[in-house]
């Protein structure tokens, strides 16, 4: 019962987020001062041209009717053709841009979760002795460094100056480039995971079931990895879910930095060329990607940690 | 203990004073183009060198930081003034109202606000600080409301609140006279980290080319540094250090004040 109710709540919130985001996109383009047709065609365009464009974008209809057309477009995935590449549906351009971003964000979540959990184990477990404090300090320093400042500097030093890693924007860079970009994106996430994971592990260190495992003769490695880690990974999933918004923003920044194709690049390009249907489709699709991942993380969190289900 | 707090707040104060001081008092312009000194390395006349088009990096840095901080101050003030009473009132009321506000905070704090900013700024012909600030204000109240809600829920059961009620104080009087003064401190220290988030958000928008049209922004300078990293690494180094320094000093100030005042940590931060 609890699990079903939780999934219902999360689904409701996901739908609400999507509705709010797409309505904000719709309204800001129509209610803010300024004629979108003039925005697209420039100030010097003929009135006839503008009228034609307004008709094409349904801007000549009443707002409620426009909203109905837009809502149907969001649900059916048809937001009209691209303005700058006539004949290509806006959704097709989004479909083309989705996989690179999904790969980048997915790899970053994987690297951040693994690296963060490893750092949490090292800073809470018995292996490093005094080095534990050093791991903890490194995690705090990494967590306080904004990706926006770190990524260009790391790129300059590692990829341009010392040539230790390939430039992720280079199409020939392949897996190495993706790994470098995802590693950068994973740093803030990993630091957060390490911080929360360490706190969870330290709390668990005093738990009774670990003493039972120890009394039964399990070594420290077995105790920490087999018994403590699965319990500590529950809050980690929650951290990942709350960091998704930052992750998406970070992905846009990195795509711009490396000039990699992806949703962020598509949004910026559509923004620059005022390709309104593509912009709407790309923002709504990014929101969809975000909401689906977030809901999945919340459900996984509930599946791992029985305390969430019952509360 | 007091000295520790002073040490924690000092860097943020120094950043604010230095940037506004240089921006207001020196004659250096953050926008004047002098083509012959484009990408010039640091020298006595230009302590941090010049960037694209010969713009004085020191001037761009101080004006960008000062304006970013001013934007953050306004957004954080609005968030604080809207969020705190909302959270305190809902916390005192308890029940369905408190749950509804907590849900609303969940929604707003996990909202992809970066996408929202992109969508809104795309609809404006030339985005300025006003538009950017408005977009940030849509979400900036939530962390304050959540903390005020948490604190008010704790204070509701406190004995001095019960005593005030037993003496016949009305609901608004309990809220304004007893609960609100006791939660202001713990909620206000959230301001530093909220300001850091605004500074970073504005810089990220500037980096993507969606910043204010006058081009005076830490993010715009960082973008120039990235584009010119081969010719003039000093621009990249100066702007990256500034972005990290401003947000780091604000977070440090927030954290040391929180330890001093004592108060809950936002679970979503």
């Amino acid at each position: 019962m609890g699990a079903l109710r939780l999934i219902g709540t999360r689904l409701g919130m996901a739908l609400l987020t999507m509705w709010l985001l797409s309505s904000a996109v719709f309204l800001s383009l129509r209610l803010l001062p300024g004629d979108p047709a003039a925005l697209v065609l420039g100030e010097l365009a003929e009135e006839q041209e503008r009228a034609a464009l307004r008709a094409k974008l349904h801007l000549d209809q009443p707002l409620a009717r426009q909203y109905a057309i837009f809502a149907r477009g969001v649900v059916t995935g048809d937001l009209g053709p691209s303005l700058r590449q006539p004949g290509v549906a806006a959704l097709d351009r989004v479909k083309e841009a989705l996989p690179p971003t999904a790969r980048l964000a997915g790899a970053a979540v994987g690297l951040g979760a693994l690296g963060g959990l490893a750092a949490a184990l090292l800073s809470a477990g018995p292996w490093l002795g005094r080095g534990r404090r050093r791991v903890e300090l490194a995690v705090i320093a990494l967590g306080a460094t904004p990706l926006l400042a770190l990524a260009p500097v790391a790129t300059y030093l590692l990829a341009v100056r010392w040539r230790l890693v390939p430039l992720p924007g280079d199409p020939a860079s392949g897996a190495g480039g993706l790994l470098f970009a995802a590693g950068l994106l994973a740093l803030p996430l990993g630091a957060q995971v390490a911080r929360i994971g360490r706190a969870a592990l330290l709390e668990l260190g005093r738990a009774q079931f670990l003493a039972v495992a120890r009394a039964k003769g399990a070594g420290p490695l077995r105790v920490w990895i087999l018994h403590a880690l699965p319990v500590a990974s529950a809050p980690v999933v929650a951290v990942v879910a709350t960091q998704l918004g930052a992750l998406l923003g970070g992905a846009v920044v990195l795509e711009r930095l490396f000039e990699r194709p992806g949703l962020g690049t598509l949004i910026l390009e559509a923004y620059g060329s005022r390709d309104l249907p593509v912009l709407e489709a790309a923002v709504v699709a990014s929101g969809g990607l975000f909401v689906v991942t977030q809901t999945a993380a919340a459900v996984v969190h509930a599946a791992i940690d029985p305390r969430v289900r019952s509360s | 203990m007091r000295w520790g707090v002073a040490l924690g707040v000092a860097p943020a104060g120094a950043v604010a004073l230095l940037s506004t001081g240089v921006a207001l008092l020196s004659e250096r312009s953050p926008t004047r183009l002098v083509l012959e000194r484009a990408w010039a390395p640091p020298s006595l006349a230009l302590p941090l060198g010049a960037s694209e088009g010969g713009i004085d990096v020191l001037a761009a840095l101080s004006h960008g930081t000062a304006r970013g901080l001013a934007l953050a101050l306004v957004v954080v003030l609005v968030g604080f003034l809207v969020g705190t009473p909302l959270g305190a009132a809902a916390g005192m009321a308890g029940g369905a109202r408190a749950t509804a506000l907590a849900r609303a905070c969940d929604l707003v704090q996990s909202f992809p606000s970066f996408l929202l900013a992109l969508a809104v700024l795309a609809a404006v012909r030339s985005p300025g600080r006003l538009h950017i600030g408005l977009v940030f204000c849509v979400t900036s109240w939530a962390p304050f409301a959540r903390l005020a809600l948490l604190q008010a829920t704790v204070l509701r059961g406190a004995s001095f609140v019960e005593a005030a009620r037993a003496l016949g104080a009305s609901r608004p009087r309990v809220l304004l006279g007893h609960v609100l003064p006791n939660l202001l401190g713990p909620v206000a220290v959230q301001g530093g980290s909220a300001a850091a988030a605004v500074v970073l958000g504005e810089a990220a928008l500037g980096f993507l080319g969606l910043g204010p049209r006058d081009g005076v922004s830490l993010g715009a300078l960082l973008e120039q540094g990235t584009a010119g990293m081969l010719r003039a690494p000093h621009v990249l180094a100066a702007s990256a250090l500034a972005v990290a320094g401003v947000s780091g000093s604000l977070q440090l100030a927030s954290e040391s004040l929180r330890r001093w005042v004592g108060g809950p940590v936002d679970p979503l931060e």
Side-chain angles (χ1 to χ4, degrees):
Chain A
M1 186 60 214
L4 274 182
R5 193 164 157 202
L6 179 108
I7 292 176
T9 315
R10 298 305 313 196
L11 275 181
M13 274 181 73
L15 287 176
L16 194 59
T17 303
M18 277 315 287
W19 177 68
L20 285 174
L21 181 69
S22 49
S23 298
V25 174
F26 171 84
L27 287 176
S28 57
L29 280 172
R30 280 146 185 100
L31 288 190
L32 288 179
D35 175 10
L39 211 61
V40 174
L41 295 170
E43 293 294 322
L44 299 173
E46 300 281 334
E47 185 48 41
Q48 231 172 353
E49 276 180 83
R50 286 198 211 177
L53 183 66
R54 274 200 288 270
K56 197 166 154 193
L57 294 175
H58 312 290
L59 291 172
D60 49 354
Q61 313 220 11
L63 200 63
R65 173 104 188 93
Q66 284 185 47
Y67 191 72
I69 296 173
F70 175 76
R72 198 174 57 209
V74 170
V75 174
T76 59
D78 176 20
L79 285 167
S82 161
L83 291 180
R84 299 296 164 190
Q85 293 186 9
V88 180
L91 190 72
D92 287 341
R93 301 208 53 200
V94 171
K95 274 187 199 154
E96 214 175 286
L98 195 64
T101 303
R103 267 201 298 274
L104 178 63
V109 168
L111 284 175
L114 283 181
L117 275 179
L121 267 181
L122 285 180
S123 63
W127 302 288
L128 286 184
R130 275 161 190 269
R132 281 185 290 194
R133 181 77 186 144
R134 250 170 261 156
V135 175
E136 200 198 336
L137 284 177
V139 163
I140 292 177
L142 266 182
T145 313
L147 178 71
L148 184 66
L150 183 68
V153 174
T155 307
Y156 172 69
L157 291 178
L158 297 178
V160 177
R161 197 75 189 267
W162 300 328
R163 297 180 181 275
L164 294 175
V165 293
L167 260 179
D170 183 358
S173 67
L178 176 69
L179 213 60
F180 175 53
L184 282 177
L185 191 54
L187 282 178
L189 181 76
Q192 193 86 343
V193 167
R195 210 165 54 83
I196 305 287
R198 174 174 180 274
L201 282 176
L202 285 181
E203 200 181 315
L204 273 177
R206 292 184 285 271
Q208 224 160 19
F209 71 96
L210 290 189
V212 171
R214 273 195 210 101
K216 284 164 78 181
L221 202 67
R222 193 183 158 84
V223 168
W224 284 97
I225 293 185
L226 220 62
H227 293 275
L229 202 57
V231 186
S233 56
V236 167
V237 178
V239 171
V240 171
T242 59
Q243 292 295 307
L244 278 175
L247 199 72
L248 199 64
V252 177
V253 166
L254 286 189
E255 282 175 8
R256 160 87 195 204
L257 174 66
F258 297 130
E259 290 168 8
R260 272 175 68 88
L263 274 178
T265 306
L266 183 68
I267 289 177
L268 290 178
E269 188 199 310
Y271 168 78
S273 62
R274 307 289 183 191
D275 197 338
L276 303 184
V278 173
L279 184 73
E280 286 176 347
V283 170
V284 171
S286 313
L289 181 70
F290 169 83
V291 158
V292 166
T293 329
Q294 199 183 39
T295 311
V299 172
V300 169
H301 184 195
I304 302 181
D305 191 344
R307 285 170 300 181
V308 178
R309 279 199 303 270
S310 53
S311 71
Chain B
M1 187 58 211
R2 295 257 169 126
W3 282 106
V5 177
L7 269 181
V9 179
V15 165
L17 275 181
L18 266 179
S19 60
T20 38
V22 174
L24 291 177
L25 298 179
S26 89
E27 304 278 292
R28 301 166 177 278
S29 157
T31 47
R32 194 162 63 100
L33 300 172
V34 185
L35 289 179
E36 53 267 34
R37 66 175 195 204
W39 304 113
S43 62
L44 272 182
L46 294 167
L48 294 179
S51 73
E52 196 175 12
I55 284 177
D56 185 343
V57 172
L58 178 64
L61 213 61
S62 49
H63 280 265
T65 304
R67 291 181 199 188
L69 284 177
L71 177 83
L73 188 69
V74 173
V75 170
V76 167
L77 262 183
V78 170
F80 177 71
L81 290 177
V82 173
T84 312
L86 208 62
M92 282 303 286
R97 266 172 276 187
T99 316
L101 185 71
R103 278 278 148 72
C105 288
D106 279 344
L107 187 73
V108 169
Q109 279 186 291
S110 64
F111 201 75
S113 44
F114 200 69
L115 288 175
L116 182 73
L118 283 177
V120 173
L121 293 177
V124 186
R125 187 168 304 117
S126 69
R129 276 199 181 69
L130 180 70
H131 301 108
I132 297 173
L134 280 177
V135 175
F136 286 150
C137 281
V138 173
T139 53
S140 71
W141 57 271
F144 293 102
R146 182 190 295 278
L147 278 190
L149 179 68
L150 284 175
Q151 279 293 89
T153 315
V154 175
L155 287 172
R156 193 158 64 122
S159 45
F160 68 90
V161 172
E162 242 171 82
R165 265 211 212 108
L167 286 171
S170 64
R171 265 173 173 274
R173 193 180 159 135
V174 172
L175 181 63
L176 293 177
H178 298 274
V179 173
L180 212 51
N182 282 296
L183 59 73
L184 281 184
V187 175
V189 295
Q190 167 86 15
S193 53
V198 174
V199 167
L200 280 182
E202 192 249 11
L205 288 174
F207 180 79
L208 296 175
L210 296 164
R213 274 298 150 211
D214 57 14
V216 184
S217 150
L218 283 181
L221 194 67
L222 190 64
E223 201 275 324
Q224 288 185 12
T226 310
M229 63 165 76
L230 284 177
R231 264 170 299 179
H234 63 270
V235 181
L236 176 62
S239 51
L241 274 177
V243 170
V246 176
S247 90
S249 66
L250 285 171
Q251 275 168 340
L252 180 68
S254 190
E255 178 62 20
S256 42
L257 283 174
R258 190 185 64 75
R259 289 200 180 171
W260 182 43
V261 176
V265 185
D266 190 332
L268 284 187
E269 282 291 311

